[in-house]
Amino acid sequence: MKKMRFSIYRYDPDKDAKPYMQDYEVEIGPNDVKLLDVIVKLKTMDDTLSFRRSCREGICGSDAMNINGKNGLACITDIADLAEPITLRPLPGLPVIRDLIVDMTQFFKQYHSIKPYVVNDSPRPERERLQSPEDRKELDGLYECILCACCSTSCPSFWWNPDKFVGPAGLLAAYRFIADTRDEATSERLDNLEDPYRLFRCHSIMNCVDVCPKGLNPTKAIGKIKDLMVRRAV
Amino acid sequence: MGVPVRRFDAVIVGGGGAGLRAALQLSESGLKTAVLSKVFPTRSHTVAAQGGISASLGNVQEDRWEWHMYDTVKGSDWLGDQDAIEFMCRKAPEAVIELEHFGMPFDRLENGKIYQRPFGGHTQNNGQTPVQRACAAADRTGHAMLHTLYQRNVRANTQFFVEWMALDLIRDADGDVVGVTALEMETGEVFILHAKAVLFATGGAGRIYAASTNAFINTGDGLGMCVRAGIPLEDMEFWQFHPTGVAGAGVLITEGVRGEGGILLNSNGERFMERYAPNLKDLAPRDFVARSMEQEVLEGRGCGPNKDYVLLKLDHLGPDIIKQRLPGIREIAIKFAGVDPIKEPIPVIPTCHYMMGGIPTNYRGEVVIPQGDNPESRVNGFFAAGECACASVHGANRLGTNSLLDLVVFGKSAGDSMVEYIKNEMPTWKDLPADAADRSLARIARLDGQTNGEEVADVRTAMQRTVQARAAVFRNADNLSKGVTEIQQVAERVKRTQIKDKSKVFNTARVEALELENLIEVAVATLIAADARKESRGAHAHADFPNRDDEVWMKHSLYYGDERRLSYKPVHTKPLSVDYIPPKERTF
Ligand SMILES: Cc1cc2nc3c(=O)[nH]c(=O)nc-3n(C[C@H](O)[C@H](O)[C@H](O)COP(=O)(O)OP(=O)(O)OC[C@H]3O[C@@H](n4cnc5c(N)ncnc54)[C@H](O)[C@@H]3O)c2cc1C
Ligand code: SF4
Ligand code: SF4
Ligand code: FES
């Protein structure tokens, strides 16, 4: 059986003065295909190793982490593709609670700040509000976000100003509601982003696009919001 | 040192579809409500639902809720309660329209209405022709629905307790529910949440099986808490095996693939479902398709080196349909089966998917248990909805897309019942019993103090292997009775689990050990209830009793954990307004 080497960020505030990297060696069996399979196995050897996980199929957004320097989801990362020692760290830029578990409060605060819900105060029709397939298509590439935070925690602008810059995930969501023909709050949404930081700290560095495990493109959505801002200014 | 107490009008345990829909009713009514979830709400397993949510909108062909009701009763193999089924199917169109108004991004038809696709067991005219009833957002319907419900709760200012794990139900001397104990995972602290009403919406427990489409967190916590608090579990012998889990990985491939035209093939390249279900073919209900697949494998017509799976072919749909309607499936097939379904078929096997049984409720979401000569007397202050509850709309076999519907219909109905109960019957809180937190503290203390114990992972694996081997698609008397003995041996080992991690901070080893204490209750209930049912009905296929026996067995089982015994209660045969649908032979 093949062995693989790991180097994993460890920190338990209950006992460690400061974080350290711990080395592991683990045998890879035929069922150990994804990185999450192996981390789960590691946890059977050392139950103090702490991380989040749930769906194991790339849809819940729990197991985002920094894998060999790049943010991703452990459950859909093939171990065969990873160079050794496989280095695992918590998502950068957020406070670490323990090991690979980060405090996502700031990330969700930004998501909540863009009013992530359809606003439509006109009287509710008895049936569905109609939307053409073309209009619905505008939401593709936007609504599929799983709030994993891979993008925002790879964005330098978010690292420096997590309290002021909405970040790629939040801005993608903002555009998801702007783009929805059923939403009536576009101008309030733009007002809400009209600020030197909230939107305009994005310098199109594209790290976010590079890491998104769902293949979404926050930079493009941000560009569209910027266009709308410019257009309404003239 | 006392356990800190926090007070709410209502506590909801669970932030999946059912919990979030109920939370809206409570938040909007102005009652002080806490919603607890082991994970951030959008990480709940509702997010993984793919194919759709059913409602007789009739957007593509004529449809009626009465037909939906008929299909659900027949799908349930006449174990479903017909009042609850009528309630759900009648409310379905308004529930789905409401989701649309909340902003859910459904796919659309050319005329702008919600897109609906065919699904297993959905028919027109009581079984005659397939109908398109499954309302879908591509193959990410659960994700679209869960995020929309979460977003709506952000708007309603719902108060969430994220990464809080409920440990035990608190009942007072009258048997009424007055709160829960809960562990704040980040700090390791235990709290008492004192409430006038508690809702369980804790989801499924598919992790009792070795191969399951369920997430790691689906550990049946609500059911474990009930068993420990003396509340019985209903119909635990009925587990749905989804025909199309990815062979080896367990990850689900939605029935929507067959709804869109995908077909199952054996090693001869034969579309074998034509033989078993000449009318509905690949779109027969799940129990039926799963058994047909197993039969093919048993008769040597399985595929692959070990001849142990069949193939799901969809390349004939063409790349456009696959990319537009089934993009998530393509992603899953590439990542977990290593095949691109545009070119190659996907290896699939029946995989544990859904728990039809659960906490006994009525269609108002009230938990009801036998007391005196009333088989369904209310447990004051206690409500349940979603997969953890048994209303029972799914009976012995759930129809695809009826679970997402169950979540929103019964989530709302339970929320309404709670609001009414709190406003009309509960001007103030009942007192907490003096020992409110004792059981939970003892569980944690036992775990922390355990020496010479067993590894959690080993015991969990033993449990999963036992359930997988003894309570599978095809069951028989010998296997089940061995299973009953074996699982009770595993249960003894659960009492001696040990963890090395003693940290207070985000101790996931402790969480997993506590989850195992819930899983094992579900596993024991499953085997005992399955061993006792001497007939075949829906998902319970018993080789020694191959026929359905309505005379003796048209009844719900109730499992009591304290003595590991069963009792039974009648199936509801009176719908709310329409005529009873009497049992028939189930062919497709
Ligand atoms: C892969 C897959 C695909 C599916 N596709 C479909 C489909 O297309 N259509 C359909 O109708 N059905 C489908 N189903 C079934 C359906 O998705 C589930 O039955 C349903 O989502 C369950 O919802 P729920 O709200 O009851 O529970 P969940 O969504 O599982 O949520 C449970 C909640 O309870 C919380 N919780 C649990 N225990 C505790 C505790 N101790 N303390 C605090 N919180 C706790 C969790 O954190 C979570 O928030 C599918 C199921 C699977 C697995
Ligand atoms: S493109 Fe903008 S949001 Fe994305 S990483 Fe760069 S700065 Fe951040
Ligand atoms: S945009 Fe992509 S990377 Fe960012 S949170 Fe959403 S899914 Fe994750
Ligand atoms: S475990 Fe859900 S995304 Fe990886």
Side-chain angles (χ1 to χ4, degrees):
Chain A
M1 227 181 261
K2 190 175 163 231
K3 283 194 173 180
M4 277 187 118
R5 284 173 303 120
F6 281 77
S7 169
I8 303 182
Y9 179 101
R10 301 300 311 270
Y11 176 57
D12 175 3
D14 223 17
K15 66 180 186 38
D16 303 324
K18 56 180 191 336
Y20 61 99
M21 298 300 289
Q22 182 169 351
D23 293 334
Y24 290 95
E25 215 177 54
V26 57
E27 283 188 356
I28 305 293
N31 296 324
D32 301 322
V33 182
K34 305 294 175 193
L35 175 59
L36 183 63
D37 299 333
V38 185
I39 306 177
V40 165
K41 189 180 224 179
L42 270 175
K43 191 171 175 65
T44 66
M45 297 156 48
D46 174 2
D47 71 8
T48 66
L49 179 63
S50 309
F51 51 92
R52 295 187 176 103
R53 86 286 181 263
S54 181
C55 72
R56 59 83 175 88
E57 60 180 83
I59 191 70
C60 77
S62 296
D63 61 343
M65 56 185 72
N66 189 271
I67 306 160
N68 281 352
K70 188 173 168 187
N71 294 349
L73 300 175
C75 63
I76 52 172
T77 299
D78 280 316
I79 37 163
D81 298 343
L82 297 172
E84 292 180 68
I86 297 170
T87 306
L88 304 179
R89 294 173 181 276
L91 290 176
L94 294 176
V96 174
I97 295 175
R98 180 174 176 182
D99 297 349
L100 300 173
I101 299 172
V102 292
D103 179 349
M104 313 236 328
T105 309
Q106 198 56 253
F107 173 80
F108 289 122
K109 227 183 206 163
Q110 291 297 1
Y111 174 67
H112 293 157
S113 81
I114 62 96
K115 300 211 164 126
Y117 41 83
V118 164
V119 175
N120 186 325
D121 295 326
S122 36
R124 276 206 201 163
E126 220 163 273
R127 292 285 309 215
E128 63 262 59
R129 293 198 162 97
L130 300 180
Q131 187 173 49
S132 70
E134 295 72 44
D135 286 342
R136 167 61 184 76
K137 226 181 169 84
E138 293 297 316
L139 307 182
D140 284 344
L142 303 171
Y143 83 94
E144 303 93 324
C145 172
I146 59 172
L147 298 176
C148 66
C150 282
C151 56
S152 295
T153 60
S154 69
C155 167
S157 300
F158 190 76
W159 294 339
W160 307 136
N161 294 292
D163 51 334
K164 297 196 197 110
F165 173 50
V166 173
L171 290 168
L172 183 90
Y175 187 65
R176 178 247 174 275
F177 292 100
I178 291 171
D180 196 321
T181 50
R182 299 169 297 176
D183 186 88
E184 294 175 336
T186 297
S187 69
E188 288 92 319
R189 293 186 187 282
L190 294 178
D191 293 346
N192 175 289
L193 298 172
E194 186 88 73
D195 160 299
Y197 283 93
R198 286 181 61 73
L199 170 71
F200 290 102
R201 275 291 132 153
C202 168
H203 302 303
S204 308
I205 310 168
M206 303 266 285
N207 286 6
C208 53
V209 182
D210 192 37
V211 297
C212 176
K214 302 310 284 182
L216 309 180
N217 189 331
T219 314
K220 191 163 141 206
I222 293 167
K224 289 196 173 164
I225 302 178
K226 286 181 177 168
D227 284 351
L228 288 173
M229 291 269 194
V230 174
R231 247 188 281 154
R232 84 166 178 172
V234 286
Chain B
M1 196 192 66
V3 175
V5 179
R6 299 182 66 167
R7 259 192 181 182
F8 299 90
D9 292 313
V11 167
I12 294 177
V13 184
L20 291 183
R21 185 61 197 82
L24 281 178
Q25 294 316 97
L26 286 145
S27 294
E28 284 168 2
S29 74
L31 292 171
K32 191 175 175 206
T33 305
V35 180
L36 269 60
S37 177
K38 287 197 287 191
V39 295
F40 185 77
T42 62
R43 318 217 188 284
S44 308
H45 206 49
T46 297
V47 79
Q50 300 173 350
I53 172 168
S54 52
S56 56
L57 295 177
N59 284 356
V60 184
Q61 302 110 352
E62 188 193 350
D63 200 3
R64 300 195 194 147
W65 68 259
E66 290 91 340
W67 296 342
H68 186 184
M69 175 174 175
Y70 178 87
D71 291 341
T72 304
V73 169
K74 185 176 175 189
S76 83
D77 217 350
W78 279 271
L79 192 70
D81 286 336
Q82 296 199 8
D83 52 349
I85 295 178
E86 173 178 342
F87 184 82
M88 180 179 80
C89 296
R90 276 178 83 149
K91 295 263 180 203
E94 105 189 31
V96 168
I97 296 295
E98 182 186 66
L99 287 169
E100 194 283 328
H101 291 168
F102 286 170
M104 182 163 161
F106 283 108
D107 283 6
R108 300 290 171 150
L109 295 159
E110 278 309 318
N111 61 13
K113 292 186 179 174
I114 293 170
Y115 170 73
Q116 298 188 275
R117 63 161 53 109
F119 236 79
H122 295 186
T123 71
Q124 267 176 331
N125 263 319
N126 302 348
Q128 285 188 358
T129 36
V131 70
Q132 293 181 236
R133 185 182 290 147
C135 310
D139 52 5
R140 305 187 180 99
T141 311
H143 171 281
M145 182 174 122
L146 187 66
H147 280 254
T148 302
L149 287 172
Y150 176 70
Q151 291 159 355
R152 194 73 188 179
N153 273 286
V154 171
R155 189 181 126 133
N157 269 317
T158 299
Q159 194 181 356
F160 287 104
F161 288 70
V162 175
E163 293 172 336
W164 280 57
M165 179 183 184
L167 299 177
D168 280 292
L169 192 61
I170 305 172
R171 295 177 81 188
D172 68 6
D174 303 327
D176 296 353
V177 167
V178 295
V180 293
T181 52
L183 172 76
E184 183 183 26
M185 287 158 65
E186 182 172 340
T187 60
E189 233 187 297
V190 174
F191 290 81
I192 290 173
L193 304 183
H194 189 190
K196 296 176 181 172
V198 171
L199 173 77
F200 274 9
T202 53
R207 288 273 158 177
I208 63 167
Y209 283 85
S212 163
T213 64
N214 282 203
F216 281 106
I217 62 166
N218 286 16
T219 52
D221 295 1
L223 282 73
M225 290 189 269
C226 279
V227 167
R228 286 191 294 275
I231 289 177
L233 305 179
E234 181 173 344
D235 290 343
M236 291 307 294
E237 58 272 46
F238 297 101
W239 285 84
Q240 178 163 79
F241 283 77
H242 195 293
T244 56
V246 172
V251 179
L252 181 81
I253 301 289
T254 176
E255 190 170 296
V257 167
R258 282 170 286 138
E260 296 289 344
I263 55 174
L264 293 165
L265 301 178
N266 62 19
S267 59
N268 300 334
E270 180 204 7
R271 185 179 179 188
F272 56 88
M273 281 312 298
E274 288 180 329
R275 254 190 291 124
Y276 295 90
N279 195 15
L280 295 185
K281 302 187 179 79
D282 299 272
L283 284 178
R286 292 177 177 170
D287 57 332
F288 206 84
V289 179
R291 279 195 293 277
S292 309
M293 292 167 68
E294 292 271 307
Q295 196 62 38
E296 289 300 298
V297 169
L298 286 175
E299 289 173 14
R301 290 187 296 275
C303 307
N306 302 319
K307 296 185 141 315
D308 55 358
Y309 56 78
V310 303
L311 294 171
L312 176 62
K313 172 180 151 68
L314 62 156
D315 58 308
H316 55 285
L317 304 182
D320 292 346
I321 291 283
I322 293 176
K323 285 183 192 160
Q324 186 193 347
R325 302 275 184 223
L326 305 166
I329 288 309
R330 182 167 180 233
E331 199 179 316
I332 286 175
I334 292 174
K335 292 207 167 98
F336 289 94
V339 298
D340 182 347
I342 288 183
K343 298 186 208 110
E344 290 167 90
I346 311 170
V348 290
I349 47 167
T351 307
C352 165
H353 182 58
Y354 184 86
M355 173 176 79
M356 266 76 72
I359 305 164
T361 67
N362 56 23
Y363 67 86
R364 295 169 41 80
E366 297 162 335
V367 175
V368 288
I369 63 176
Q371 274 164 349
D373 48 15
N374 180 0
E376 300 194 352
S377 129
R378 201 177 73 170
V379 179
N380 288 324
F382 194 29
F383 302 79
E387 189 168 338
C388 73
C390 183
S392 149
V393 284
H394 310 302
N397 172 64
R398 174 175 73 91
L399 283 196
T401 71
N402 264 355
S403 172
L404 292 184
L405 178 62
D406 164 350
L407 308 185
V408 286
V409 169
F410 294 108
K412 178 167 185 216
S413 145
D416 285 339
S417 301
M418 289 170 84
V419 172
E420 239 174 75
Y421 174 78
I422 292 168
K423 293 203 165 152
N424 300 338
E425 298 184 45
M426 291 298 284
T428 184
W429 286 264
K430 288 192 88 180
D431 288 339
L432 285 167
D435 62 355
D438 289 7
R439 184 186 293 118
S440 300
L441 295 178
R443 288 171 65 203
I444 291 178
R446 196 283 296 163
L447 200 53
D448 281 343
Q450 183 73 48
T451 48
N452 292 319
E454 295 231 37
E455 298 282 341
V456 173
D458 293 345
V459 183
R460 190 173 48 216
T461 304
M463 172 196 68
Q464 289 172 336
R465 287 205 179 128
T466 304
V467 179
Q468 188 80 26
R470 304 296 184 196
V473 172
F474 287 118
R475 301 167 173 186
N476 64 60
D478 179 48
N479 229 338
L480 286 168
S481 77
K482 283 189 181 128
V484 169
T485 311
E486 289 164 8
I487 202 69
Q488 300 196 74
Q489 287 161 354
V490 178
E492 288 307 305
R493 296 172 61 189
V494 173
K495 294 183 184 155
R496 305 186 53 257
T497 49
Q498 184 176 355
I499 54 175
K500 289 186 208 82
D501 190 349
K502 308 284 170 180
S503 172
K504 279 184 81 68
V505 181
F506 224 111
N507 189 327
T508 49
R510 175 177 295 148
V511 168
E512 286 186 29
L514 293 168
E515 286 175 335
L516 180 59
E517 294 180 3
N518 296 320
L519 280 168
I520 193 66
E521 301 291 359
V522 177
V524 174
T526 296
L527 276 151
I528 290 185
D531 180 51
R533 185 171 284 270
K534 311 269 189 271
E535 66 158 351
S536 290
R537 182 185 297 270
H540 180 66
H542 201 308
D544 303 304
F545 305 93
N547 299 315
R548 193 176 76 201
D549 177 358
D550 291 328
E551 200 84 356
V552 183
W553 286 105
M554 205 170 98
K555 56 188 180 185
H556 297 292
S557 68
L558 289 170
Y559 167 83
Y560 289 83
D562 43 2
E563 294 161 351
R564 297 196 175 148
R565 70 183 163 91
L566 294 166
S567 73
Y568 291 88
K569 68 170 184 178
V571 171
H572 296 196
T573 50
K574 277 205 191 62
L576 299 171
S577 73
V578 293
D579 287 341
Y580 174 55
I581 302 171
K584 284 209 308 192
E585 206 198 331
R586 212 160 144 258
T587 54
F588 299 96

